[in-house]
Amino acid sequence: MDTGLLSGLPTKDVALLEVFALVTAALLLSRIRPLPLRYDPFYWLAQLASQIAGKAAHTQRSNTQQYTAGTLATLLLVLPFGSIVVFIPLLAAYPWFFELVILYFCFNDSGINRLCNQVADNLERDDKASAKALLAERVPQSVSQLSATGLSKTAIELVLHRPAVNLIGVSLAFFAGGLTFAILLRMLTTIAAQWPAHSPTGRFGKPVNLLSGLLMWFPDLLWALLLALQGGPATLITWLKPRPVFLSRSVTTGSRALAIELGGPQMFGNIKVSRAKTPLPALPGSQDIRRAVSLSRTAAGYYSALLICLPLLWILIRLYAH
């Protein structure tokens, strides 16, 4: 790296640019060729977390016992698999290649935008059974009893919130703490999503939900801002307001940008659990799913452009400074 345009840059600046290049390459690859759900390792981690929940969730026990069980279950899921993945690049002849592959897995969203458009297509054909089948593999709550409105809400909340983790959270974690931090954040958020705190048996998952919420506070705030920039002053005001319990800031901000109601009760098995609603009168439909996908794609485009422009600006500033 001592010739050409970068020859005038210090070694530490070249290393920083290589990090940006690695993140950008992994991100573009995940968007151009998303990994199918069945081949996504985080999908199988979610399935394993769901199976373990049946063993760890004992609602008749004290809070302390449940929190201990949830913490031990989280460690059981994170430590073995996380340690193996983190050590692979350290032992490889070309560690950058394995970092690229692992980052690709972390960025991968298994084509969530395409899936939500398929849900919209099914609802327009009044094929709710197919829409339910598509969403059932992506969310922990039951969708079998949902109406068209409920299915639309589920798809919209999914497409509004998922990039906060897969895009913003993973990239910022990698910049802050390298591959270890990126994998840790992705694993913890995947587990927390399978153990929602408001579910009837979700009390044991409170420790991982609190940790996930802490790690995702700034990524969710930044992603919600990218959504709010497309919705005008009223949406920016919503972005600044405190969010309702059990609704992410990206969902409440996206709700205002789309001018539709989101949130509301969810079903876990045969139990209906109350959840706050966003205070908007219009109920979502299939066209609102498409609008949410467009909103999310535009926000992702803003962030991707920022990732590309920042290192270019840094090169120009450093070269002209010398």
Side-chain angles (χ1 to χ4, degrees):
M1 303 291 293
D2 57 351
T3 61
L5 178 63
L6 302 182
S7 60
L9 293 176
T11 303
K12 62 180 181 179
D13 290 343
V14 175
L16 178 63
L17 294 176
E18 289 175 344
V19 170
F20 269 95
L22 186 66
V23 170
T24 303
L27 177 59
L28 291 176
L29 183 62
S30 70
R31 295 302 178 261
I32 294 171
R33 182 67 70 177
L35 194 67
L37 184 65
R38 295 295 181 179
Y39 298 102
D40 185 352
F42 289 101
Y43 168 75
W44 294 108
L45 175 65
Q47 298 305 303
L48 185 57
S50 180
Q51 294 295 321
I52 288 180
K55 304 292 184 181
H58 297 283
T59 56
Q60 74 278 8
R61 294 182 180 176
S62 68
N63 287 343
T64 301
Q65 289 177 310
Q66 291 197 62
Y67 298 159
T68 301
T71 300
L72 292 175
T74 302
L75 293 174
L76 179 64
L77 289 167
V78 170
L79 289 180
F81 303 112
S83 300
I84 292 172
V85 173
V86 167
F87 277 108
I88 287 176
L90 299 178
L91 303 175
Y94 301 99
W96 62 266
F97 173 77
F98 289 95
E99 288 185 353
L100 177 66
V101 172
I102 295 169
L103 269 180
Y104 165 73
F105 287 142
C106 291
F107 279 128
N108 180 63
D109 63 4
S110 303
I112 196 67
N113 289 334
R114 184 170 60 86
L115 176 133
C116 288
N117 279 328
Q118 290 176 339
V119 171
D121 291 339
N122 290 328
L123 292 179
E124 288 170 358
R125 294 194 300 266
D126 199 27
D127 185 5
K128 291 194 295 184
S130 296
K132 291 174 182 179
L134 289 172
L135 290 173
E137 291 186 316
R138 303 296 184 121
V139 294
Q141 69 269 24
S142 173
V143 299
S144 60
Q145 301 179 44
L146 291 182
S147 63
T149 298
L151 293 170
S152 298
K153 283 187 177 184
T154 302
I156 292 170
E157 290 181 22
L158 189 63
V159 78
L160 287 178
H161 178 66
R162 183 62 68 86
V165 176
N166 294 53
L167 177 60
I168 310 291
V170 168
S171 58
L172 293 184
F174 186 75
F175 290 137
L179 192 63
T180 301
F181 197 15
I183 294 172
L184 180 63
L185 180 137
R186 190 70 165 83
M187 294 184 76
L188 289 174
T189 52
T190 299
I191 295 168
Q194 289 300 120
W195 302 342
H198 61 285
S199 69
T201 59
R203 194 167 27 156
F204 82 101
K206 187 174 180 179
V208 70
N209 274 277
L210 288 175
L211 180 56
S212 174
L214 179 64
L215 294 174
M216 281 301 301
W217 179 83
F218 183 72
D220 191 43
L221 188 71
L222 178 56
W223 175 248
L225 176 60
L226 296 175
L227 297 176
L229 291 174
Q230 304 174 62
T235 309
L236 284 170
I237 293 172
T238 300
W239 174 71
L240 293 170
K241 290 181 178 179
R243 61 181 178 85
V245 179
F246 303 131
L247 287 181
S248 68
R249 192 176 299 275
S250 54
V251 168
T252 57
T253 304
S255 172
R256 172 59 66 179
L258 297 168
I260 55 173
E261 177 190 283
L262 294 176
Q266 291 181 329
M267 297 293 296
F268 292 89
N270 295 319
I271 303 174
K272 179 183 286 189
V273 178
S274 297
R275 198 173 54 133
K277 297 180 183 179
T278 56
L280 292 161
L283 295 176
S286 60
Q287 287 304 312
D288 295 307
I289 299 177
R290 301 188 194 282
R291 292 172 57 219
V293 169
S294 178
L295 188 75
S296 178
R297 279 177 173 163
T298 303
Y302 289 160
Y303 187 73
S304 300
L306 183 64
L307 285 180
I308 295 172
C309 290
L310 279 178
L312 295 178
L313 290 173
W314 183 254
I315 291 174
L316 293 176
I317 292 172
R318 296 292 284 178
L319 288 177
Y320 280 106
H322 290 280

